Structures are given as structure tokens and as C-alpha cells.
Amino acid sequence: MKIDLGGKTALVTGSTSGIGFAIAKGLAEAGASVILNGRAAARVDEAVARLRAAVPGAEVKGVAADLATAEGAGQCAARVADVDILVNNLGIFEPKPFLEIPDADWLRFFETNVLSGVRMARNYLPKMLEKNWGRIVFISSESALNTPVEMVHYGMTKTAQLAVSRGIAESTVGTGVTVNSVLPGPTRSEGVSDFFARMAAEAGVPQAEMEARFIAEHRPTSLLRRLASVEEVANMVVYVCSPQASATNGAALRVDGGVVKFVA
Ligand code: NAD
């Protein structure tokens, strides 16, 4: 199978690093014209240059906007009127015991991880339906299915994304537009790598040992037994965005290294 996204424009939210950057790179390698997003203009410019260098000849643009806010979503809509592919990747995580999570954190997590994608889908779905082709992908998590005790508020947002994406897919009946979720397992993005580096420094052990301990103690059902790479996650997303994935709609697709034990 050869994936050709030539002529398609893709917007990946929160894509100056991590899984988002890898998805943007994968889409660019498949021929899509790609729009990167982050909050700070300097970081977006740097990521655009990095992607252009990594995929020579790729058409890459950037839009700096804080998509965790309604204002940022409006700024993005004003600068990018139309896309064929929308990947709602932006997301934050922070371990915190349930009893210490205040209302403000619950609301911040909901707005950043869920409402951001809702706003973006509301922006771009109408034109996709008009053109009768489009792809919307929500980057959820295995935490959607296995709520993590160390961050219940994060798990809540990831489960909500499944409901939202399935619900939006219901309004694409009989069209060439699909709306799906992808559920990565623990993945070595910059954010996660920094997190393990800090934990390893505190415990006085090498980072690799800290990562192995995390998998053994917190994700003991992992079949992969290691963190996934960002490219492994991006490959699934590029496929879901491809013309070949036309019969996959309203689905929750796992790249979780087998962490989730049930099969349906
Ligand atoms: P990351 O922290 O490494 O990168 C997130 C990116 O989003 C960064 O470029 C950051 O600058 C940007 N960003 C943050 N807030 C923003 C905002 N308000 N507006 C615009 N950009 C913003 O994250 P990651 O680990 O690559 O995770 C990406 C997605 O994958 C998230 O939705 C996360 O929940 C999901 N996920 C990650 C893992 C994992 O183990 N890494 C596992 C499952 C799901």
C-alpha cells in the first residue's frame, strides 16, 4: 500500500514536538501540505524549519495560537480557513492524587484536552462535508479505557474524546468524511521523556531504568514492554488519514503496545 496525500492540507494541533511533530512529519512524507501549531511563534517557526529540513520539498506552514482557549481557536480559524485533515493532538497530562485535584484543574484539563478538539472540529467539519472528503483524528490514549489512578482528570478527558469523536462521526453518514480516535500507550515524546528524566534524577537511577520500572509497576499488562516511539504512533495516524482508510469511521484505534487487555 502506498499512501499518497498529495493535494491534501493537514493541520496538526500541538505539533512543535512529540507525537504531534511526528504525525506532521509522517503526513508531510506522504505528500500532504502541513500546518504546524504551538503557542509561541518562535517555537512554531523553529519547528517549521526543522520539518522542512527533515522532509525536503515539503510544504510546511505554522500557526501560533493557544488552542486551549476560545480566542486561540478563533485566531486559528482566521488564519487557516480550510483543511482536509485535522489531527487534534494537543493534550496535557500531570500526575496528581485524586483528592488534590481542584475544580480549576478539572476545568483546565477539560478545556485543553477536549474542548480544544471540539472547537477545531466545529471549525473545519462543515467544509469537509461540503467537499465530501475529510479526516478528523482525536489523539486519545489507552488512559481512555484504563483510567489512571495517578491522574483521573486526564483519564476523564481521554474517555470524553472517544465519546466526542464517535458522536461527530454520526454526522458524517454516507459521506467521504471520517472521524476517529487513536489511542497511544506510553510513548517517548519529549514531554514524557522530560517527565522520566526528572523522576530518574530524583530517584538517582538511569532514565532507562525509571522507564522500565514505570512499565513494570504502572502498565504491567504491556505486551510491548517498552515505551513506543513517536513514529510508531504517527504511522497509525497517517494510515487513518489516508484515502485507503475510507471504511474506518467512528472507531477507536489502539497503538497501546497491548496495555489494554480486552479486545473489543
Ligand atoms: P508533548 O507534551 O510532548 O507535546 C505536546 C505539544 O503540544 C507540544 O508541542 C506543546 O508545545 C504543545 N502544546 C501544549 N499546550 C498547547 C496549547 N495550549 N496550544 C497549542 N499547543 C500546545 O505531548 P505528547 O506526549 O506528544 O502527547 C501528544 C498527545 O498524545 C496528547 O494528547 C497526549 O494526551 C497523547 N498521548 C500521549 C502519550 C504519551 O505517552 N506520550 C500516551 C497516550 C496519549
Side-chain angles (χ1 to χ4, degrees), residues 13-20 37-39 43 65-69 88-93 112-113 139-143 154 158 161 182-192 227 230:
T13 69
S15 50
T16 57
S17 67
I19 293 172
N37 157 256
R39 281 159 296 181
R43 258 178 74 80
D66 181 349
L67 297 183
T69 66
N88 286 317
N89 167 75
L90 163 64
I92 53 170
F93 73 97
T112 306
N113 291 4
I139 305 303
S140 174
S141 169
E142 51 89 11
S143 296
Y154 173 77
K158 294 290 147 182
Q161 286 181 307
V182 167
L183 285 64
T187 304
R188 192 181 288 101
S189 61
E190 280 86 339
V192 164
L227 299 178
V230 290

Side-chain angles (χ1 to χ4, degrees), residues 50-102:
R50 193 157 24 101
L51 187 51
R52 284 187 184 141
V55 188
E59 233 180 85
V60 188
K61 283 194 277 192
V63 55
D66 181 349
L67 297 183
T69 66
E71 196 192 354
Q75 288 164 356
C76 183
R79 293 196 39 205
V80 180
D82 184 15
V83 297
D84 303 296
I85 296 168
L86 166 66
V87 182
N88 286 317
N89 167 75
L90 163 64
I92 53 170
F93 73 97
E94 180 190 24
K96 197 176 264 191
F98 168 70
L99 292 176
E100 292 171 22
I101 305 172

Side-chain angles (χ1 to χ4, degrees), residues 95-99 101 146-153 218-219:
K96 197 176 264 191
F98 168 70
L99 292 176
I101 305 172
N146 288 344
T147 309
V149 64
E150 71 274 13
M151 40 186 182
V152 179
H153 55 341
H218 295 282
R219 298 294 183 275

Side-chain angles (χ1 to χ4, degrees), residues 101-167:
I101 305 172
D103 287 3
D105 280 5
W106 283 96
L107 293 170
R108 182 167 58 90
F109 268 71
F110 181 77
E111 184 158 37
T112 306
N113 291 4
V114 184
L115 204 46
S116 61
V118 169
R119 289 180 180 129
M120 298 300 284
R122 222 163 36 201
N123 265 345
Y124 297 113
L125 179 65
K127 283 217 175 114
M128 289 181 188
L129 291 171
E130 252 174 62
K131 289 186 290 187
N132 200 28
W133 200 94
R135 298 282 182 264
I136 299 179
V137 183
F138 285 78
I139 305 303
S140 174
S141 169
E142 51 89 11
S143 296
L145 304 175
N146 288 344
T147 309
V149 64
E150 71 274 13
M151 40 186 182
V152 179
H153 55 341
Y154 173 77
M156 172 277 295
T157 64
K158 294 290 147 182
T159 312
Q161 286 181 307
L162 302 190
V164 167
S165 58
R166 175 70 211 187

